[in-house]
Amino acid sequence: KVDWTGEMQWNRNYNGVYIYSMVQTNDGGYAVIGEVGLNYATLIKTDPEGNMIWNQTYGSSIQFIRLLQTADKGYALAGNTFRTNSSQGAVLLTKTDSLGNVVWNQTYSQLGEEAAASIAKTSDGGYALDCGGNFIGNFAKVDSAGNLQWNISFSSNLFSSNNVGSVMQLSDGSYVFVAGNALIKTISDTSLPSVTPTKTIPEFNAPVTTLAVILITTTAVSISLKYTRKHFQ
């Protein structure tokens, strides 16, 4: 923990845990998600000084990359299951209570094997997921129990397994997903049924900072490209 000038205030080590992400909790402490041992996902809860209060470990062959604290003080953990000899990997969403005990698990083979790179709360108590890999971007909306409501998939060289990673819901109910050089905005939540448009994002020669804005409807994909060299407001 550092202050506003970057001066270290304290640091903690959690026994070899490889940390993927963390959030500040409503009590001023922190929740940390990571990996320990051979592919064992772990959730750590700390006080405001980073001292561990409790931890939970969730079996092998799963990975949690992102998390958020839910309204009931539990946690939503987003990641994936690994491919094994007997099963194919899939995107994974797990809901826990306030002590990290599993309430439910949902897997989504429709979204591929890559881990969910981002998760956001939605206005109806559900979650939006951003995930993908192998030049495929997958974006999904689930309800408060993790049931898939709709998903959208785009294929393009704008996407890669390392470049899918941000989602948020806007005040008008629409969503913005980020993947590679593309910013994808939906018209609204209600305009998106459980269908998968197959329109490919156009490829173009431009600097890395080029921004592509894609507006999605139920019947067509209208595309407008806006270019900027430095920043966009």
Side-chain angles (χ1 to χ4, degrees):
K1 171 72 167 56
V2 301
D3 64 18
W4 69 275
T5 68
E7 186 73 21
M8 182 182 293
Q9 296 178 315
W10 50 258
N11 70 85
R12 302 286 181 262
N13 185 292
Y14 304 114
N15 297 320
V17 174
Y18 185 91
I19 295 173
Y20 287 109
S21 60
M22 62 174 288
V23 295
Q24 189 168 34
T25 54
N26 60 359
D27 61 359
Y30 303 93
V32 177
I33 200 72
E35 183 178 303
V36 63
L38 297 175
N39 301 328
Y40 284 84
T42 186
L43 173 65
I44 297 171
K45 176 66 178 71
T46 80
D47 65 16
E49 301 300 314
N51 300 301
M52 185 186 298
I53 300 174
W54 54 256
N55 71 89
Q56 292 276 10
T57 301
Y58 304 101
S60 62
S61 299
I62 64 173
Q63 181 182 54
F64 291 124
I65 300 296
R66 295 290 181 264
L67 80 158
L68 52 80
Q69 189 173 35
T70 54
D72 61 0
K73 299 182 182 180
Y75 301 92
L77 315 177
N80 70 319
T81 63
F82 293 133
R83 178 193 288 268
T84 67
N85 292 333
S86 59
S87 66
Q88 182 169 330
V91 171
L92 171 67
L93 179 62
T94 295
K95 173 68 175 66
T96 79
D97 63 17
S98 61
L99 296 177
N101 300 302
V102 173
V103 177
W104 51 254
N105 286 302
Q106 293 275 15
T107 55
Y108 311 98
S109 58
Q110 307 95 321
L111 306 181
E113 297 185 46
E114 298 292 333
S118 182
I119 180 174
K121 298 176 185 178
T122 59
S123 57
D124 61 358
Y127 308 96
L129 299 171
D130 189 357
C131 47
N134 297 321
F135 305 104
I136 300 293
N138 291 304
F139 317 110
K141 167 70 171 63
V142 304
D143 64 19
S144 59
N147 299 303
L148 185 65
Q149 294 177 297
W150 53 257
N151 65 284
I152 302 169
S153 178
F154 288 98
S155 61
S156 172
N157 68 0
L158 295 179
F159 300 121
S160 75
S161 58
N162 296 320
N163 286 335
V164 178
S166 188
V167 58
M168 65 182 295
Q169 187 178 35
L170 306 181
S171 58
D172 63 0
S174 63
Y175 298 88
V176 173
F177 306 96
V178 175
N181 292 340
L183 177 67
I184 302 172
K185 183 181 183 300
T186 68
I187 298 299
S188 70
D189 189 1
T190 56
S191 71
L192 290 164
S194 297
V195 297
T196 303
T198 56
K199 183 70 176 180
T200 300
I201 296 175
E203 300 174 7
F204 48 88
N205 295 320
V208 174
T209 53
T210 299
L211 174 69
V213 179
I214 296 88
L215 301 181
I216 305 166
T217 68
T218 57
T219 56
V221 178
S222 60
I223 300 172
S224 63
L225 301 180
K226 297 181 180 180
Y227 301 95
T228 177
R229 285 193 171 278
K230 295 183 179 179
H231 305 286
F232 66 95
Q233 298 292 333

